[in-house]
């Protein structure tokens, strides 16, 4: 009686584990391979880079405030045998490791620190990698995607920002007014020390078409007396 055999094709981005009677025989590299369909089982592993998404979870900061954070991890399989045989679902182990490290990262910092510098939540790559290295997984990066504050904290943060911006606007307005007052004071000083400047300015204004200039006879007589 002849064994039944067929062919399988392993793509360039794949590695296929060939088990014969339940025992791992070899890892099939890219190409076309023949195998015994009655006694062999194939397990194909995708070797391309992947992204693990960890949805938003409620975590507590060092100062006891609740923060909802989502994470993303870039990873790739480096050892298809360890990835397949090291755990029932190796990707689930990776997911749990990211969740655990995420809790530790958030708990190590205050809310203000995390809001001011989100990169603090991307420092756990080495810790995650250490937990899944035996599964033939290499973690290339770990980053926080979204930081979501609870409703009351979002409202308080918005009020703080608005108050800060209003304060800046008031400060700029006060600076502009102070500058205008300084300019007026300098002008008044120049006119006081040099009365002729006022008459020159009056002539300049009078030269503008459509301008009406009202001369006070009392002031003119006084200036004439001073001139004599």
């Amino acid at each position: 009686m002849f064994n039944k055999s067929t062919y399988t094709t392993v793509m360039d981005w794949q590695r296929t584990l060939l088990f014969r009677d339940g025992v791992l025989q070899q890892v099939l590299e890219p190409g076309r391979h023949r195998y015994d369909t009655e006694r062999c089982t194939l397990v194909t592993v995708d070797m391309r880079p992947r992204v693990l998404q960890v949805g938003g979870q409620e975590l507590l900061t060092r100062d006891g405030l609740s923060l909802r954070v989502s994470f993303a991890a870039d990873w790739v399989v480096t050892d298809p045998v360890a990835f397949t045989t090291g755990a029932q679902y190796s990707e689930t182990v990776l997911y749990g490791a990211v969740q655990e490290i995420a809790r530790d990262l958030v708990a190590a910092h205050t809310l203000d620190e995390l809001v001011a510098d989100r990169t603090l939540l991307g420092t756990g790559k080495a810790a995650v990698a250490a937990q899944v290295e035996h599964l033939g997984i290499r973690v290339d990066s770990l980053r926080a995607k979204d930081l979501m504050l609870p409703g009351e904290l979002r409202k308080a943060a918005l009020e703080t920002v608005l108050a800060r911006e209003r304060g800046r606007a008031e400060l700029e307005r006060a600076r502009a007014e102070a500058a205008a007052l300084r300019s007026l004071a300098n002008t008044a000083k120049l006119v006081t020390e040099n009365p002729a400047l006022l008459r020159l300015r009056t002539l300049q204004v009078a030269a503008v078409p459509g301008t009406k200039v009202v001369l006070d006879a009392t002031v003119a007589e006084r200036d004439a007396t001073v001139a004599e």
Side-chain angles (χ1 to χ4, degrees):
M1 184 176 180
F2 296 98
N3 293 332
K4 295 181 179 180
S5 62
T6 188
Y7 288 90
T8 185
T9 299
V10 180
M11 303 302 289
D12 190 52
W13 61 85
Q14 297 174 330
R15 298 294 183 273
T16 297
L17 279 62
L18 188 149
F19 292 86
R20 184 179 180 86
D21 297 332
V23 179
L24 178 64
Q25 294 294 303
Q26 68 179 115
V27 178
L28 303 181
E29 297 292 327
R32 186 172 173 81
H33 304 271
R34 186 175 180 178
Y35 69 100
D36 183 351
T37 57
E38 290 188 344
R39 302 185 62 184
C40 296
T41 301
L42 303 181
V43 178
T44 299
V45 179
D46 195 317
M47 305 296 288
R48 290 174 291 186
R50 316 185 200 185
V51 179
L52 175 70
Q53 305 283 351
V54 179
Q57 50 185 334
E58 296 286 344
L59 303 173
L60 292 179
T61 61
R62 191 176 69 194
D63 45 356
L65 297 175
S66 177
L67 184 65
R68 189 174 181 85
V69 189
S70 62
F71 282 82
D74 297 310
W75 64 285
V76 65
V77 176
T78 57
D79 184 344
V81 175
F83 183 76
T84 303
T85 62
Q88 184 177 10
Y89 301 107
S90 294
E91 191 168 350
T92 302
V93 177
L94 173 62
Y95 189 96
V98 173
Q99 282 189 315
E100 179 183 345
I101 300 304
R103 284 196 299 270
D104 294 340
L105 289 173
V106 173
H109 302 282
T110 65
L111 178 63
D112 288 342
E113 290 172 345
L114 295 175
V115 171
D117 186 5
R118 186 181 299 190
T119 59
L120 294 173
L121 295 175
T123 59
K125 185 192 78 170
V128 174
Q131 292 194 27
V132 296
E133 184 179 10
H134 69 286
L135 299 176
I137 294 175
R138 186 186 74 227
V139 179
D140 293 326
S141 70
L142 176 67
R143 60 190 181 278
K145 292 184 59 182
D146 299 305
L147 273 69
M148 295 157 282
L149 301 175
E152 292 186 0
L153 286 179
R154 283 200 303 270
K155 182 179 179 181
L158 178 59
E159 290 176 352
T160 300
V161 172
L162 290 176
R164 183 167 59 247
E165 293 304 318
R166 282 195 295 266
R168 288 178 178 174
E170 292 293 336
L171 179 60
E172 290 300 322
R173 189 178 300 110
R175 287 175 176 171
E177 291 177 354
L181 288 174
R182 282 195 299 270
S183 178
L184 288 174
N186 292 334
T187 302
K189 183 179 179 181
L190 286 173
V191 170
T192 301
E193 295 175 351
N194 304 277
L197 291 177
L198 180 58
R199 290 193 291 273
L200 290 174
R201 181 56 179 161
T202 302
L203 292 174
Q204 288 178 341
V205 173
V208 178
T211 302
K212 292 183 180 180
V213 178
V214 179
L215 298 177
D216 189 336
T218 304
V219 173
E221 291 177 359
R222 184 187 63 197
D223 290 346
T225 300
V226 171
E228 293 175 355

